[in-house]
Each structure stands twice: as structure tokens, then as C-alpha cells.
Amino acid sequence: MATSYSRLGEIHQALGEVDKALEFFELRMQLGKELYESNPKNVELKNGLAVSYYKLGGIVQNKQQAQAMYTQAIALWQELYDLTQLETYKGYIEHAKE
């Protein structure tokens, strides 16, 4: 379901339907939070939640909200990098900071 919500959000975003995209990205984030909270040691779930925050940051109209979403994504990716030392997460952090 989480992947489907994300894909639907991407499709609506590409079509210029920002409100609909936002709706699906928010559903993805809510589900991601629930999944992560049920298993906080799962690296994939944490990364999925970070991606959700990042995607929401890219679509919300309010600059403060966008910054808050990016900050959340960066914090989760930083935790993942600290845990795994995988350069992938470091790259995500750098990209999100741009």
C-alpha cells in the first residue's frame, strides 16, 4: 500500500495535480509512520518514512512546512547513516540539503 500511495502521488504530481499528489503522499507518510513505529529497528521502514517526508517537502506550498519535512527526512537518513555507514544515506542527506 505504501508503495502504491507513493506512486499515485508521483503520477498526480507529474500531471500537475498538486492537491491530489499531496493527498497520496500524506497517506504514504501516515502509513510509513505506523509501519515504522511498529518496528523501529527496520532500516527499510525508516528509509521509507524518510522518503515520504522528502517527497512531501517537495510538494507542499508553504516554505516552512517544506523545510520541516526536509529536516525530518535528513534526521532519519542521518540516523540510518550513523547506524549503517552506507554512503547511500549520506548521498540522500546531501541531496536533501540542496
Side-chain angles (χ1 to χ4, degrees):
M1 288 293 293
T3 301
S4 295
Y5 287 147
S6 186
R7 298 277 188 242
L8 286 167
E10 291 168 1
I11 289 167
H12 285 286
Q13 186 177 16
L15 293 171
E17 299 170 353
V18 176
D19 290 339
K20 200 68 169 165
L22 186 59
E23 179 182 331
F24 282 109
F25 287 145
E26 286 174 343
L27 286 170
R28 167 56 177 108
M29 188 186 66
Q30 290 169 358
L31 182 55
K33 278 183 182 179
E34 289 175 26
L35 291 169
Y36 174 67
E37 288 170 0
S38 70
N39 192 357
K41 293 185 181 193
N42 187 304
V43 173
E44 290 179 29
L45 294 177
K46 185 179 270 195
N47 183 55
L49 183 56
V51 169
S52 293
Y53 279 116
Y54 180 77
K55 286 183 178 183
L56 274 171
I59 198 167
V60 293
Q61 302 296 316
N62 181 298
K63 191 172 182 173
Q64 284 182 314
Q65 284 180 320
Q67 185 61 43
M69 296 295 173
Y70 287 139
T71 299
Q72 281 286 78
I74 289 168
L76 289 168
W77 282 323
Q78 185 65 55
E79 290 174 19
L80 285 167
Y81 177 72
D82 292 344
L83 178 68
T84 65
Q85 296 300 301
L86 291 174
E87 291 296 316
T88 302
Y89 298 122
K90 193 173 187 179
Y92 292 161
I93 292 166
E94 294 304 316
H95 183 73
K97 286 181 178 180
E98 293 175 358

